[in-house]
Amino acid sequence: MSPVTSRTQVAIVGAGPAGLLLAHLLAAEGVESVVLETRSQEYVAARIRAGILEQSSVDLLSEAGLGARLAHEGDRHRGIYLQFPHERHHLDFVELVGRSVYVYGQTEVQKDLVDARAAGGQEWVYEITDTALHEVDSDRPSVTYRAADGTEHRLEADAIAGCDGSFGPSRSAIPGGTTWERTYPYAWFGILADVAPSTDELVYAWHPHGFALHSMRSDTVSRLYLQVEPGTDPDSWSDDRIWDELATRLGHGQDGWELKPGPITDKSVLPMRSYVHAPMSHGRLFLAGDAAHIVPPTGAKGLNLAIADVALLAPALAALVRSGDRRLADAYSQSALRRVWRCTHFSWWMTTMLHQDGDPFSAQLQLSQLRWVTSSQAGATGLAENYAGLPFEV
Ligand code: FAS
Ligand code: PHB
């Protein structure tokens, strides 16, 4: 039986933040799109991921009409704390580089995007299978897939956006690409806890036992991470052991500071790797977000990079599909990769500075680096400039 055929201007594979934000920005330019997603809407909405937005991301979301809840519920942070045995130092990004960051979970960004698309009445298809991209280097590319009811579909488009994350099919539809990859010898054990944060701003901690991070989602929900061995089973750690180890690594009892434990509502283990695919486009296929690059979360860059890609891609696709003007589309990959490599380096730098790799020589280098970054204006400014993020190139 021949597939059900339909047509749109931009076919977007993936309904994560990259895909939905791209659809939103295209709609604002009068460009029609269809978003195709393999998971259910509920599954995507419930995924717990990033927590930090750069100023540039907040500005873009606000300018796109997605900033109302963010302005009300987002928590503006001036900087972060760097902690190592017997020392905790605050880096004030506003003083150093005049930019701040915001605590606003990816789940909240995703909810705002879904609400906006539902209100706009644009098309999306969830729970598809057998996604495949066709003729991406022609002017009539298409995506075929099987819908949840079992029917086969072909979606023809003027362009395809591969926003299907680190395990989607789009990346492999680019012939002859180059990939760079680094897998780290550790993972992050992440917990959500129904307890008020024990700190006003994020604490990144170096400790002989391993890295720890105290983040948060709101005044009543804390988000914390521990460095563990790759492949650690989240259920193999008792709640007491988790809190004891977090307290040790974060400096509980140091200068009167205390880590307050509470009921753990979610546990997960996240592998750590860096990955870049180039080019990020071929013909009429354009990659954005995790489909093209993965960063270890130490630099809080994953979600922000996806937003930065889309900030470049939306006007490029609008020009391409409305008037056939390829100038921005042809420049997209090279422009996007400049920020991708800057964020890839910074995420690697933060990760290797803060995590134990079992080498005593590394540990001394890391402590020296931390003492320099927390005592030198130049060192602190370098970290602040990268963590708070540079203005988008658009
Ligand atoms: P996403 O992965 O969010 O979205 C891609 C979508 O494509 C998914 O919904 C997927 O189901 C869909 N898809 C895949 N294959 C498909 C197919 N064949 N057909 C149709 N759809 C398909 N970043 C941080 O900054 N801080 C963090 O703490 C952090 N924690 C993370 C934890 C985990 C477990 C993961 C995986 C990532 C984490 N990240 C973190 C990075 C994360 O926030 C990403 O950078 C962000 O989700 C990127 O958004 P997208 O590019 O839209 O990719
Ligand atoms: C988070 O809140 O989930 C978070 C914050 C900062 C990071 C990584 C994750 O570097």
Side-chain angles (χ1 to χ4, degrees), residues 165-168 170-172 174 177-184 272-280 287 289-296 305 337 340-341 343-345 347-348:
S166 43
F167 302 106
S170 295
R171 184 164 58 227
S172 54
I174 292 187
T178 305
T179 59
W180 297 262
E181 183 161 13
R182 172 156 301 184
T183 302
Y184 298 88
M272 306 277 280
R273 71 187 177 113
S274 297
Y275 180 94
V276 177
H277 181 284
M280 289 175 57
L287 306 181
D290 279 16
H293 41 73
I294 302 288
V295 288
L305 254 184
L337 282 166
V340 167
W341 278 113
C343 292
T344 297
H345 173 267
S347 302
W348 164 85

Side-chain angles (χ1 to χ4, degrees), residues 62-345:
S62 304
E63 285 154 20
L66 295 161
R69 219 159 56 92
L70 170 51
H72 180 63
E73 297 176 22
D75 189 9
R76 179 175 176 266
H77 282 199
R78 293 183 61 93
I80 61 170
Y81 295 95
L82 288 178
Q83 157 96 21
F84 43 102
H86 317 301
E87 296 189 44
R88 177 179 289 184
H89 301 269
H90 186 250
L91 268 62
D92 189 318
F93 300 157
V94 177
E95 271 179 19
L96 289 161
V97 295
R99 293 167 76 76
S100 47
V101 292
Y102 291 76
V103 172
Y104 192 69
Q106 180 169 327
T107 48
E108 304 314 311
V109 175
Q110 190 75 19
K111 182 178 181 329
D112 294 340
L113 287 164
V114 166
D115 292 348
R117 186 150 183 91
Q122 288 107 348
E123 193 177 346
W124 49 25
V125 185
Y126 282 87
E127 299 184 74
I128 70 171
T129 52
D130 305 336
T131 314
L133 285 69
H134 308 275
E135 299 174 84
V136 297
D137 45 11
S138 77
D139 59 4
R140 296 184 66 79
S142 62
V143 181
T144 55
Y145 62 91
R146 184 179 301 280
D149 64 5
T151 54
E152 292 188 7
H153 291 256
R154 172 184 295 277
L155 176 62
E156 296 177 349
D158 298 328
I160 299 174
C163 302
D164 43 356
S166 43
F167 302 106
S170 295
R171 184 164 58 227
S172 54
I174 292 187
T178 305
T179 59
W180 297 262
E181 183 161 13
R182 172 156 301 184
T183 302
Y184 298 88
Y186 31 75
W188 274 18
F189 189 142
I191 67 166
L192 265 188
D194 280 344
V195 62
S198 300
T199 174
D200 58 339
E201 296 189 337
L202 275 64
V203 182
Y204 286 80
W206 182 100
H207 189 277
H209 291 188
F211 169 77
L213 169 61
H214 190 330
S215 183
M216 66 284 289
R217 287 292 178 271
S218 69
D219 294 343
T220 59
V221 177
S222 292
R223 175 71 164 159
L224 298 106
Y225 298 93
L226 279 169
Q227 173 186 345
V228 293
E229 290 299 312
T232 294
D233 173 3
D235 296 327
S236 66
W237 282 54
S238 70
D239 291 8
D240 287 348
R241 181 185 175 197
I242 293 168
W243 285 115
D244 288 348
E245 196 54 31
L246 282 167
T248 299
R249 298 184 191 184
L250 288 165
H252 175 86
Q254 184 179 305
D255 302 329
W257 182 80
E258 291 191 347
L259 176 66
K260 293 185 291 296
I264 294 175
T265 57
D266 186 86
K267 297 177 185 177
S268 61
V269 173
L270 167 67
M272 306 277 280
R273 71 187 177 113
S274 297
Y275 180 94
V276 177
H277 181 284
M280 289 175 57
S281 66
H282 176 77
R284 287 184 174 243
L285 169 60
F286 301 83
L287 306 181
D290 279 16
H293 41 73
I294 302 288
V295 288
T298 325
K301 289 299 163 204
L303 175 57
N304 291 294
L305 254 184
I307 294 172
D309 287 348
V310 169
L312 280 173
L313 185 54
L317 288 180
L320 174 63
V321 304
R322 283 190 319 205
S323 59
D325 178 351
R326 282 201 64 104
R327 284 172 300 168
L328 289 177
D330 290 343
Y332 167 68
S333 179
Q334 191 174 350
S335 302
L337 282 166
R338 277 197 294 272
R339 192 180 192 94
V340 167
W341 278 113
R342 174 82 316 271
C343 292
T344 297
H345 173 267

Side-chain angles (χ1 to χ4, degrees), residues 8-12 22 26 31-34 157-161 317 321:
T8 187
Q9 288 181 291
V10 180
I12 299 174
L22 178 61
L26 288 173
V31 174
E32 181 196 83
S33 65
V34 174
D158 298 328
I160 299 174
L317 288 180
V321 304

